[in-house]
Amino acid sequence: MTTMSGSDGASAAGNGGRGWFTPASDAEAAERPAPGALDATPTPQGRTGTAAAEPGPERRAEAEPQAEAAPRAEAAPDPVPDPAASPAPAASPVPAAGSAPAAGPAPAPATGPLADSELIRTSMDELERSADAATAYFYALLFVQYPHLREMFPAAMDNQRDRLFRALLTAVRLYDDGKLLGDYLANLGRGHRKYGTLPTHYPAVGECLMAAIARYAPNSWGPRTEAAWVRAYTAISQTMIDAAAEDERRAPAWWDAEIVSHELRTPEIAVLTVRPDQPYPFRAGQYTSLETPWWPRVWRHYSFASAPRPDGLLTFHVKSVPAGWVSTALVQRARPGDVLRLGPPAGSMVVDHRADSGLLCLGGGTGIAPIKALVEDVAGQGRPRPVEVFYGARTSHDLYDLETMLRLKERHRWLSVRPVVAAGAAQAAAEALAGELPDAVRRYGPWSAYDGYLSGPPGMIRTGVETLVGLGIPTHRIRHDSLDELVAQGV
């Protein structure tokens, strides 16, 4: 799939006697505490156009962390009807894993994938108008009916609610693209192992999800829509369960990693180097999810800032964002000796070393981290190919890794590095171009024979994709790290 982490998880089993939401596999309860069962931690790295093979994944790195809600004591959702006192409009019950379907009306006969997608999208369009209330109701219902699942989630649920809806919206938008949707869901399934998600959790989530949709999308809800959602959720959950079971056979659910170096490049940006407790397989351009000891069950995504190294060390660039739980802890609190937890690698913003095409790389802010890793990856192959890097920042002060990139340029004749400063250009270094990153890219070229790589904030990715397409690079040769955000915005 294209783009923008103790061992537990699912095990394959028989699929006899399954209900609508009953998974085909089962597993023992997780032994370590874990976060959300339906926490769509920023999703796989994305590329517009035709999907590539699933990487060996967030991706996708979320190189520029999104703003995080300030920590606060969890309050009861408001307004959310009391699920116990005021049940949602009847949705078909979900049998427990391994049980026979409950008695009652059978689902409407399948009317084909296109009909299902139309019904689901119509209900999601209606649901989107009450997204906050619907997701709050979903979690309230889940925790009332299945209180044992509450400990799997973060204490403060603000970001959790947003991620649920984003995951649903992304899956719905990808519904007609079987390959891309399959890769997206498989990546989620693998990533959810670190939360302790088990196959037996999916029926509970499905039941409460159906109830929330029925309540907050009443105009589009009915037997056919319900049956379409049942078919879709069953397929979605099974894809995730199967991916988790396959991943369990070859990798742990997470890695413990000790910080061996913590370097402040600016008051807001730190470069962290960590040593995993066991070999960590990844490719340059990918990303991982990361949990700190100060915020249990809260994970954020960061790109690898270097290609795989012989000593096995991993490097990350972290920018502290306002009210950012994880980013602020990593920049201002973390020190050598602290132990972090890493999820599995994700993302397919990787280089195809079988090709001879050049690489046009756009990195904004800490999005330069995976771009640097890609340059090191090309250098390690020993086969020169043109690599053009545009390194964008708001001011010259934000070009925190420019010296490193210029040293790489001095060592490799095939590499070009152009810093671009959008603001404070008068104080920019002599090498920097003034203006916006897309405008700087347009000044050079032609680029139609290059492959595009973009990493940075979602807004930069969006304008960067539009720029590269306008310059003649086909969408299937543009890779980036913000699939879920861009899909949700219709890009």
Side-chain angles (χ1 to χ4, degrees):
M1 174 174 182
T2 59
T3 32
M4 141 190 270
S5 309
S7 177
D8 54 16
S11 303
N15 55 5
R18 288 166 24 195
W20 289 357
F21 295 148
T22 303
S25 56
D26 198 355
E28 296 297 323
E31 295 185 0
R32 301 196 197 182
L38 197 62
D39 180 359
T41 44
T43 69
Q45 192 140 332
R47 174 186 71 192
T48 58
T50 306
E54 171 68 23
E58 160 101 51
R59 168 192 193 92
R60 142 278 174 44
E62 183 171 323
E64 189 80 32
Q66 297 181 337
E68 305 162 20
R72 66 184 186 190
E74 182 185 5
D78 183 28
V80 180
D82 182 350
S86 176
S92 293
V94 182
S99 66
T111 53
L114 183 58
D116 277 3
S117 66
E118 291 172 347
L119 292 167
I120 291 171
R121 286 196 176 102
T122 298
S123 62
M124 279 298 292
D125 288 342
E126 182 180 359
L127 188 69
E128 192 169 3
R129 295 193 287 270
S130 304
D132 290 343
T135 50
Y137 178 83
F138 162 80
Y139 283 110
L141 189 64
L142 184 68
F143 297 155
V144 167
Q145 296 191 358
Y146 302 94
H148 63 283
L149 297 181
R150 181 61 184 92
E151 66 181 14
M152 298 176 64
F153 292 80
M157 293 290 294
D158 305 68
N159 290 333
Q160 182 75 22
R161 293 188 182 115
D162 176 63
R163 288 174 180 176
L164 164 70
F165 191 74
R166 264 197 307 165
L168 282 176
L169 190 59
T170 301
V172 168
R173 295 283 173 84
L174 298 176
Y175 195 81
D176 292 329
D177 189 331
K179 179 63 170 65
L180 194 56
L181 176 61
D183 289 342
Y184 173 72
L185 295 174
N187 186 70
L188 282 183
R190 288 189 293 268
H192 282 187
R193 289 185 58 217
K194 67 180 178 290
Y195 300 132
T197 304
L198 302 175
T200 52
H201 296 152
Y202 285 87
V205 171
E207 175 186 326
C208 297
L209 176 63
M210 297 300 109
I213 299 172
R215 175 178 291 278
Y216 289 95
N219 296 327
S220 55
W221 191 258
R224 291 184 63 216
T225 300
E226 180 181 359
W229 268 103
V230 166
R231 286 189 289 269
Y233 183 82
T234 300
I236 286 171
S237 58
Q238 195 61 59
T239 299
M240 295 174 66
I241 290 167
D242 291 345
E246 180 182 358
D247 189 62
E248 185 182 25
R249 291 191 286 268
R250 62 180 181 228
W254 62 74
W255 286 254
D256 289 328
E258 179 184 358
I259 299 176
V260 297
S261 174
H262 184 283
E263 175 191 357
L264 276 178
R265 293 287 181 85
T266 76
E268 300 84 23
I269 298 176
V271 174
L272 281 72
T273 301
V274 304
R275 179 184 293 110
D277 60 348
Q278 54 188 306
Y280 189 100
F282 76 100
R283 295 184 62 185
Q286 291 189 304
Y287 68 99
T288 187
S289 52
L290 192 153
E291 180 195 46
T292 73
W294 305 286
W295 293 107
R297 301 186 300 279
V298 178
W299 297 75
R300 294 293 181 265
H301 288 75
Y302 295 98
S303 300
F304 299 103
S306 61
R309 298 164 45 166
D311 59 11
L313 298 180
L314 310 174
T315 302
F316 302 96
H317 294 181
V318 181
K319 180 177 182 180
S320 176
V321 298
W325 302 9
V326 174
S327 64
T328 299
L330 289 173
V331 172
Q332 300 181 6
R333 187 169 182 175
R335 294 294 182 269
D338 292 332
V339 177
L340 310 176
R341 183 174 288 180
L342 306 178
S348 60
M349 198 182 77
V350 298
V351 177
D352 181 0
H353 292 294
R354 298 168 300 179
D356 294 319
S357 53
L359 278 63
L360 175 59
C361 303
L362 281 63
T366 51
I368 198 64
I371 300 301
K372 172 178 170 287
L374 293 175
V375 171
E376 293 178 354
D377 189 30
V378 172
Q381 295 297 310
R383 187 167 61 90
R385 57 194 296 186
V387 178
E388 303 278 342
V389 175
F390 288 81
Y391 180 8
R394 289 185 295 273
T395 69
S396 58
H397 174 74
D398 297 316
L399 295 171
Y400 69 94
D401 210 35
L402 179 58
E403 184 178 342
T404 301
M405 296 303 299
L406 293 178
R407 286 200 301 266
L408 287 171
K409 177 184 176 182
E410 291 175 358
R411 292 202 298 267
H412 306 295
R413 298 179 59 184
W414 42 263
L415 174 62
S416 173
V417 177
R418 297 183 177 93
V420 182
V421 174
Q427 293 79 35
E431 304 90 344
L433 303 172
E436 300 297 328
L437 196 58
D439 295 333
V441 175
R442 293 188 189 99
R443 298 180 206 171
Y444 298 87
W447 304 118
S448 58
Y450 281 67
D451 294 335
Y453 292 81
L454 303 94
S455 180
M460 191 222 85
I461 303 293
R462 183 171 59 253
T463 57
V465 169
E466 294 170 352
T467 299
L468 297 191
V469 170
L471 293 174
I473 300 181
T475 56
H476 69 273
R477 295 206 336 256
I478 300 175
R479 301 191 181 196
H480 56 78
D481 59 5
S482 295
L483 175 65
D484 55 335
E485 292 91 347
L486 297 184
V487 168
Q489 296 172 32
V491 178

